Amino acid sequence: MSNETKIEDYEREPVPQHLRKSWLSMALVWIAIGIDLSAMFLGAQLGAGMSIGDSLTAVIAGSVILGIIGAVCAYVGAKTGLSTAMLSRFLFGNRGALIVSVILGISSLGWFGVQVGFFASNFQTALSELLDWHWSLGVLSVIGGLLMMSTAVWGYRAIEKLSVWSVPLLVVFIIIALVMALRGEGGSTVWSPFEGEALPMGTAISLVIGIFVLGTALSPDIARWAKTPKHAISAAFIGFFVGNSFMTIIAIFLSRSMNSSDLTGIFLTLGLGIPAIIVLTLAQWTTNTSNLYSAGLGFSVVFKRIPKPVITIVAGLLATVLAYFGIYDRFLTFLTYITMLVAPLGGIYTAEYLLVDRNRFSFEGLDSNRNWIIRSIAVWILASFFGLMTTAGPDGLGLFRVTQVPALDSFLIAFILQALIGKWAVKKG
């Protein structure tokens, strides 16, 4: 088998049916993506700001909502066998999809760079405390970027293999840390009554949803590999629910028992230095490789003559170089604006497929598709601006609130507008 065949990822066509995967392997991929340090920090925040019962309620409620949204988006991906960027061609036209794909690529690539910097900062602490090695952030950024790029280059099947063996290992080490933390006084501290002004339940649930909601809009990138739509729905719900809740719940217990929000510090305090490095590496690797994978899929729709592995390597190296110079710290606001444009896409393609006209999603007729589909572009602009209005300043206008999660606001309004305008357009002829 040639190398070209081995790394075929079907980025510009439906995934062949005989290569589709079962729900379990796909669920492990989403769980692996959800297990990251951001979830740990959120859990620590909830644990410090609410009672143990309320914080667990918020995590479960928010994760169920994410699971439902992810399952709906995954259904479309499984039915079509296409990535999010390829789906945009049905929605926005062949030319309009180029704009969408560039934004998808930039957004995913940008967050890849941010996460590489995040990884380097935490890894630097671990090496310094455990081995007294003082490596620079730049060097660690390069190491992290190349590591995370290695699986993204080889496509979904490499990410699947990484997830299948890393998730059990992560779970074992994290549970060991939890058991050790809960011994003695730590166990009683967890259940101690909360004192002070509690975080509102609505805000807590919105934080839980917000940490992973953009992943639901990009779920076709993974779901297109599902054997059947039922496999995709099951995998997405379990993956988003468990992936989003597991680390957050563990962090709630760890932070309350150890009175700390520093995951690396907690592991080191418990004498789990090597496991700390392994957890830190695998948690960010499994999460961030999906960012670069989605970036490669997005840019593949734009640069049609260039093989996806080449696109992924170039994009990954560029992001790693920028992370090396710490430039991403200056672009977080820009990435926030770009991300606002991604969330509505999930609402648009789910509404179009489920409620308007699923017959339009025919790959065979894609090349004869119109260059521009104005109604979807209009919905995209309106929904993105709606998200800007519900985003608090200084990044947004902060005019009002709906769900307290701007990305979810724009997803829902995009779904409603696409359904209403789409049905009107189809009826009109």
Side-chain angles (χ1 to χ4, degrees):
M1 182 179 291
S2 67
N3 287 338
E4 183 179 354
T5 304
K6 287 182 180 179
I7 61 176
E8 175 62 66
D9 204 45
Y10 305 98
E11 61 274 9
R12 302 181 184 96
E13 60 186 298
V15 176
Q17 192 62 45
H18 70 280
L19 294 176
R20 304 287 186 99
K21 308 292 183 176
S22 70
W23 69 270
L24 180 58
S25 66
M26 299 180 63
L28 287 175
V29 171
W30 270 309
I31 291 172
I33 294 172
I35 295 179
D36 70 344
L37 296 183
S38 300
M40 294 297 295
F41 284 115
L42 173 61
Q45 182 181 355
L46 296 179
M50 308 175 75
S51 68
I52 185 69
D54 286 344
S55 59
L56 293 177
T57 299
V59 173
I60 298 300
S63 298
V64 166
I65 294 172
L66 274 176
I68 293 172
I69 297 173
V72 173
C73 294
Y75 174 80
V76 180
K79 290 290 286 186
T80 61
L82 297 171
S83 67
T84 310
M86 282 298 293
L87 285 174
S88 67
R89 293 184 64 183
F90 299 110
L91 300 162
F92 302 97
N94 292 330
R95 295 280 180 84
L98 298 180
I99 299 174
V100 175
S101 298
V102 167
I103 288 175
L104 284 172
I106 292 175
S107 176
S108 298
L109 189 63
W111 289 114
F112 173 82
V114 169
Q115 290 290 336
V116 165
F118 189 42
F119 165 84
S121 177
N122 285 276
F123 207 78
Q124 185 184 55
T125 301
L127 290 178
S128 176
E129 295 291 333
L130 181 63
L131 303 173
D132 198 30
W133 293 356
H134 303 285
W135 291 14
S136 70
L137 287 176
V139 170
L140 292 174
S141 294
V142 171
I143 293 173
L146 294 177
L147 184 69
M148 297 163 192
M149 185 176 70
S150 63
T151 39
V153 168
W154 290 93
Y156 173 80
R157 283 165 284 190
I159 296 174
E160 177 193 23
K161 290 179 181 179
L162 172 66
S163 303
V164 165
W165 67 261
S166 64
V167 168
L169 190 60
L170 280 167
V171 170
V172 168
F173 281 138
I174 292 169
I175 289 180
I176 289 174
L178 180 62
V179 171
M180 294 180 67
L182 292 178
R183 287 179 179 174
E185 295 183 2
S188 59
T189 304
V190 169
W191 304 103
S192 60
F194 177 76
E195 298 179 358
E197 185 176 352
L199 193 68
M201 180 62 70
T203 301
I205 293 175
S206 71
L207 288 172
V208 173
I209 296 172
I211 200 172
F212 209 5
V213 69
L214 285 175
T216 62
L218 296 173
S219 61
D221 293 350
I222 305 298
R224 65 199 181 101
W225 288 89
K227 282 185 177 179
T228 66
K230 287 184 179 180
H231 278 265
I233 291 171
S234 301
F237 182 82
I238 294 172
F240 278 99
F241 175 76
V242 177
N244 195 65
S245 62
F246 175 75
M247 284 288 273
T248 309
I249 290 175
I250 293 294
I252 290 172
F253 282 96
L254 280 177
S255 63
R256 288 180 68 89
S257 63
M258 300 293 291
N259 194 28
S260 172
S261 61
D262 180 7
L263 172 64
T264 305
I266 289 174
F267 270 82
L268 294 175
T269 300
L270 294 172
L272 298 172
I274 299 301
I277 291 179
I278 294 174
V279 167
L280 175 64
T281 302
L282 290 180
Q284 289 306 98
W285 186 358
T286 55
T287 299
N288 210 22
T289 193
S290 69
N291 283 327
L292 186 56
Y293 178 65
S294 291
L297 290 174
F299 288 129
S300 292
V301 173
V302 181
F303 304 105
K304 298 178 182 179
R305 298 179 181 273
I306 304 176
K308 177 177 169 288
V310 175
I311 293 174
T312 305
I313 290 172
V314 172
L317 290 175
L318 175 61
T320 300
V321 168
L322 294 177
Y324 174 84
F325 289 107
I327 199 168
Y328 276 112
D329 291 338
R330 305 174 188 177
F331 284 100
L332 284 174
T333 298
F334 168 74
L335 285 173
T336 300
Y337 287 127
I338 285 289
T339 302
M340 287 180 191
L341 299 172
V342 176
L345 298 176
I348 292 173
Y349 68 70
T350 52
E352 185 74 22
Y353 191 88
L354 298 176
L355 301 177
V356 181
D357 184 12
R358 68 178 57 188
N359 293 326
R360 294 182 59 244
F361 291 75
S362 171
F363 180 76
E364 288 72 22
L366 193 54
D367 289 334
S368 61
N369 194 23
R370 286 179 290 168
N371 284 332
W372 304 93
I373 299 177
I374 302 301
R375 62 180 176 88
S376 296
I377 295 174
V379 170
W380 185 34
I381 293 172
L382 289 172
S384 298
F385 185 68
F386 189 84
L388 181 66
M389 290 191 294
T390 62
T391 299
D395 293 335
L397 300 178
L399 300 180
F400 55 89
R401 291 184 176 183
V402 180
T403 66
Q404 300 191 60
V405 184
L408 183 58
D409 294 341
S410 56
F411 179 99
L412 294 175
I413 197 67
F415 184 92
I416 294 170
L417 290 176
Q418 186 72 11
L420 293 176
I421 297 175
K423 285 188 173 184
W424 172 81
V426 170
K427 186 176 180 180
K428 188 178 178 182

